[in-house]
Amino acid sequence: KPASKFTVIREFIRVKRLLKNKTAEDIANLPELDDERYEMGQRMNEHLAVSIYHVEPTMLPLIIFQLVTTSLKHGLSPTSSPGFAGLGLLLCGPFGKPHEGREMA
């Protein structure tokens, strides 16, 4: 089922609240993710993002937001980079905020 615009915007607002007043340097200095369960979830979301893009592209922003949210709340991992790059892509494209998008990517 396609993700509704309302759902995507709601999740975007949640991510923006988590990012409030954080610079790229603040994000880079977050601690490492040390919980194996979250790490596994992050890896699953990363693999899911590739598949979901081909099957139901409207769901991709939700996967990206989940990657970013987990990174901000629980720490950085190797899967954080694609999450923040994806957020940068969304900010530059559909959300029309290229200056913020460049900082995230």
Side-chain angles (χ1 to χ4, degrees), residues 21-102:
N21 299 325
K22 283 189 174 47
T23 64
E25 187 175 328
D26 294 335
I27 294 168
N29 290 325
L30 288 171
E32 274 191 43
L33 179 63
D34 61 359
D35 189 322
E36 194 174 292
R37 293 171 298 159
Y38 286 111
E39 176 63 34
M40 182 63 71
Q42 288 285 79
R43 280 189 264 145
M44 288 171 55
N45 277 337
E46 184 181 20
H47 292 294
L48 181 62
V50 174
S51 300
I52 205 87
Y53 176 76
H54 295 291
V55 177
E56 190 55 66
T58 61
M59 296 291 287
L60 183 62
L62 301 179
I63 301 297
I64 291 170
F65 297 151
Q66 184 62 49
L67 286 166
V68 170
T69 298
T70 301
S71 296
L72 291 171
K73 287 184 175 181
H74 302 286
L76 299 176
S77 70
T79 56
S80 297
S81 296
F84 284 107
L87 181 59
L89 177 87
L90 292 173
L91 287 168
C92 287
F95 290 104
K97 299 176 183 270
H99 296 296
E100 291 179 38
R102 265 186 277 142

